[in-house]
Amino acid sequence: IFLLFLSLFIGVFAVYLFEFIVALIKSEFGGVIYMAQTLRFRNHFIVCGGGRIGERIASMLKEKGEKTLIVEGNETRALELKKLGFRVLKESALEEKTYKMANAKMARGLFAALGQDVDNFIVVLNAKEANKNLKVITRCNLIRNIKKFKELGADEVVLPEIVGADRMVYLAEKGKKK
């Protein structure tokens, strides 16, 4: 009975160990392969966040013929973006290693398009640490955070709701003048 229990324990342990090793190799080795591919990227734009705003930024850059890399941590969304023809790095934009994998040292610019200001704070810090000369444009949700983004190194800060409202009022006024 003891030998049966011991062999069962060793078998279960071996399966979990094997799964762990495969997952580790896949994540590390896969990351190394992707890093080698993106290291050839030069003079490109990095878009952190593949939501509605990030996808639109990447689409506009793609239309202009610019090399663009979207950093998206959500696996389902990353696959959707790949199917749409975007180059996607499925990593968290909040991790320092991501900026090495995206070759931020050789990038022209970076867009921080995550949904939360606190996440975009981290993106701005990581991006500027990876390349102090990188032009960083960030999304911001709260007016009171504009100054903080500038202090962290953001070159430009955009509030989508304000830009949208300004555009709507402009169009309304433009229509009245005719």
Side-chain angles (χ1 to χ4, degrees):
I1 292 179
F2 176 73
L3 288 177
L4 179 65
F5 178 73
L6 183 64
S7 62
L8 183 63
F9 177 76
I10 291 172
V12 169
F13 178 75
V15 168
Y16 280 113
L17 181 63
F18 179 73
E19 287 179 5
F20 173 76
I21 290 171
V22 167
L24 182 68
I25 289 171
K26 193 175 180 183
S27 69
E28 291 302 315
F29 191 63
V32 169
I33 289 171
Y34 201 89
M35 187 173 169
Q37 292 173 346
T38 56
L39 284 176
R40 291 191 303 261
F41 251 34
R42 295 196 178 333
N43 207 29
H44 61 292
F45 289 97
I46 300 168
V47 179
C48 295
R52 290 185 320 242
I53 292 175
E55 181 183 344
R56 182 68 183 138
I57 292 167
S59 291
M60 292 175 75
L61 290 168
K62 189 176 177 182
E63 287 171 15
K64 294 175 184 269
E66 299 288 353
K67 289 187 282 186
T68 307
L69 177 66
I70 300 175
V71 175
E72 175 57 52
N74 179 286
E75 190 165 345
T76 303
R77 184 63 181 143
L79 288 172
E80 289 171 1
L81 292 164
K82 282 183 181 181
K83 286 178 185 174
L84 292 171
F86 294 107
R87 180 136 186 164
V88 180
L89 176 58
K90 201 222 102 9
E91 293 288 336
S92 170
L94 305 179
E95 300 289 330
E96 289 180 39
K97 71 175 183 170
T98 301
Y99 298 87
K100 288 184 182 121
M101 294 175 79
N103 201 18
K105 274 193 190 303
M106 302 304 286
R108 277 178 57 194
L110 179 137
F111 297 88
L114 300 177
Q116 301 298 316
D117 284 356
V118 68
D119 292 338
N120 286 323
F121 287 151
I122 295 168
V123 170
V124 170
L125 285 171
N126 283 336
K128 286 296 188 172
E129 186 175 305
N131 179 352
K132 67 179 176 166
N133 298 316
L134 185 65
K135 181 162 186 152
V136 176
I137 302 169
T138 185
R139 170 189 180 165
C140 177
N141 295 309
L142 301 173
I143 292 173
R144 69 175 182 248
N145 288 336
I146 294 173
K147 183 178 177 192
K148 180 56 79 182
F149 275 115
K150 291 288 193 173
E151 290 171 358
L152 294 174
D155 297 288
E156 301 291 340
V157 181
V158 177
L159 286 86
E161 289 83 3
I162 291 179
V163 171
D166 288 349
R167 178 74 175 152
M168 292 171 79
V169 170
Y170 165 79
L171 291 172
E173 289 174 347
K174 181 180 162 188
K176 282 194 322 187
K177 291 179 184 175
K178 287 183 179 182

